[in-house]
Amino acid sequence: MNSENQPTNYPALYTLITVFFFWGFIAAGNSIFIPFCKNFFSLDQFQSQLIDFAFYTAYYIGALLLFAMGNATGKDIVGTWGYKKSIVYGLLFSALGAGAMIIAVEASVYAGMLVGLFIVALGFSLQQTAANPFAILLGNPKTGASRVNLGGGINSLGTTIGPILVAFALFGSAKAVSDEQIKSLPLDKVVILYVVVGLLFVGSAALFYFSKKVPAGIATEPMEKANKALRTLVIMTVLLAVMFTPIFQSYKSEEALKIERLSKEIDQAKETAKVARFTEEGLKNHTAAISQKENEVKTLKVPLEQSRMLWLSGALLVVLGGILFSYLSAKKNVNGWGAMQYPQLVLGMLAIFVYVGVEVAIGSNLGELLKLEEFGSMQSSDIAPYISMYWGGLMIGRWAGAISVFNLQGSKKTIALIVVPLIAFAVILGVNIISGKDMKPLYYYVLCIFIQIIAFFLSKDKPARTLMIFGSFGIIAMLIGLFSSGTVAIYAFLAGGLACSIMWPAIFSLSIIGLGKYTSQGSAFLVMMILGGGIIPPIQGKLSDIIGIHQSYIVAVICFAYLTLFAILVKGILKKQDIDVDAIEVEGSH
């Protein structure tokens, strides 16, 4: 049968999109786990961000391993296994990770939880590599984008529901839990959550494996070799390990242990001051003793935090330097560099790195931001609606971005571009209200949705223009958030989700156009750069430990500035290659 006349295999497609839901559910749920773990395990902001580090670094390691195996054999490993088997393997691996999470939660070991999340995400890496091309394979290639976008819409639904269910598992449905009470919370519901998640992974794997409606999806296309690119990526990985090791070791240093001991003494002294009856002289001496210990902590902390920040900056330079070195070397001699000889791909790798990094960092640091007095002094148990709305903002944009797939024209398209985002907003409010959350503080966030709708009209489905407009939207939103407080600032930071919502397909389309036989390899390199979600949030977390959580959002401004610059630069690069940028369609979804 001619592939263009191939009907869509709907039973297989509906089975496939379940994995898209899992990716969104777990990733957004991490934004609730981060502030919870910070209080439960007495972590600093950087340590709490290691949840993102473990999760998104696994995507990079998984994609790198698949690329290395493909480079060694000259075959697309996932295609050789078949997309169906690859997804089954990925789901079973994620189930193994869920099992590791259960053991770690039972033992209350934070490092074990990080290992569990790493294994879950390794499985996701394999699933994601297989799922997007598999969706295109399940019907007419010309309508492949609509199937991928459907998966993206379901993924975004997972990001909206994930924070609500994870918050319920952590805090229950009772009244607000104070951050002081978190340490004494039982984790039995978290165990139940991951038992259910693990069973869903296994059940989905069985559904895929035994379903006769789901084809094997074997692809036998040869894989272009890129030995020099692989060598550089391996060296980058080793150097990243070198940069992060001293940071991890510093938490067991003599200075760090002394800071921990003094901090406990300060907390105990403050508690004593609340209940003990001091004479005026006694209270004065007690307060002076606390102040002395606080100064001692500050003296010890400043050089330690600066050293950690230096190593983190080194990790960022490893990524930027590695990619830049690859491109400059490929420019001199293309042999062995594969897709990295194309400037649009190299700049696009950095763009994906920055985009995933800023998308994750805004949401993951939001819980700590909302604890500030000028942001409402919220407890960790209060933040789920805000996290849900942030990740829901990505759903709003992706649902609106999928409208172009249906070839609506004129007034029908105009109406859809206005109505669909509002429906998505109503869905986010609805699922939160049903779960018992007070959403009144977020009703007026609809004003931000209208700004996004205007941005969609201005973008005209053109990827470079879309990226420029939404990148500028992100810069303005973050600057408003930085220079204000209260509801205005909260709305501004939440609008980061709206700004990020349509960026993945725009960056992807602009990065792989013109790569020819290296398109598949270029896509693999772009997926590796999900690594940004593991590097940028910890950098913002450590910056927060030094200058404060509110001020740390300068990281988001810099990220959106690069994404806007990428849109401008890539337009000029593609023009030189005689590629009509405006003819490129925005396809796919993260």
Side-chain angles (χ1 to χ4, degrees), residues 251-300:
Y251 282 93
K252 296 295 180 185
S253 67
E254 191 178 323
E255 294 87 352
L257 293 173
K258 191 173 182 181
I259 289 169
E260 189 178 343
R261 178 175 57 78
L262 286 168
S263 297
K264 283 180 181 175
E265 288 175 8
I266 291 165
D267 289 341
Q268 287 169 357
K270 285 181 177 178
E271 285 300 315
T272 302
K274 288 179 185 177
V275 294
R277 292 183 178 180
F278 288 104
T279 62
E280 190 176 334
E281 185 66 25
L283 182 61
K284 190 177 178 182
N285 292 335
H286 190 76
T287 305
I290 291 173
S291 182
Q292 185 182 346
K293 286 180 180 178
E294 285 176 337
N295 287 333
E296 197 177 343
V297 167
K298 193 175 180 182
T299 305
L300 288 167

Side-chain angles (χ1 to χ4, degrees), residues 510-576:
L510 291 166
S511 302
I512 62 171
I513 190 72
L515 267 58
K517 65 180 181 179
Y518 294 108
T519 301
S520 178
Q521 189 184 94
S523 298
F525 287 152
L526 290 171
V527 170
M528 283 181 209
M529 288 300 103
I530 290 175
L531 173 68
I535 303 288
I536 291 177
I539 287 176
Q540 184 179 344
K542 182 47 63 191
L543 193 62
S544 162
D545 290 332
I546 297 170
I547 65 172
I549 187 67
H550 192 182
Q551 291 74 18
S552 74
Y553 272 82
I554 188 67
V555 170
V557 177
I558 295 167
C559 290
F560 281 122
Y562 173 73
L563 292 167
T564 309
L565 178 65
F566 167 71
I568 296 166
L569 292 175
V570 80
K571 196 169 183 179
I573 289 166
L574 294 176
K575 196 174 180 182
K576 285 181 184 175

Side-chain angles (χ1 to χ4, degrees), residues 459-476:
S459 299
K460 298 179 180 176
D461 292 334
K462 296 173 181 177
R465 188 184 175 101
T466 297
L467 202 53
M468 232 176 288
I469 290 169
F470 278 80
S472 301
F473 177 27
I475 294 170
I476 293 166

Side-chain angles (χ1 to χ4, degrees), residues 433-460:
I433 290 167
I434 289 168
S435 70
K437 306 296 181 187
D438 178 16
M439 297 303 285
K440 287 175 186 174
L442 290 167
Y443 284 169
Y444 290 104
Y445 186 64
V446 73
L447 297 173
C448 297
I449 313 295
F450 281 117
I451 294 170
Q452 188 198 41
I453 290 168
I454 293 167
F456 269 113
F457 278 110
L458 294 172
S459 299
K460 298 179 180 176

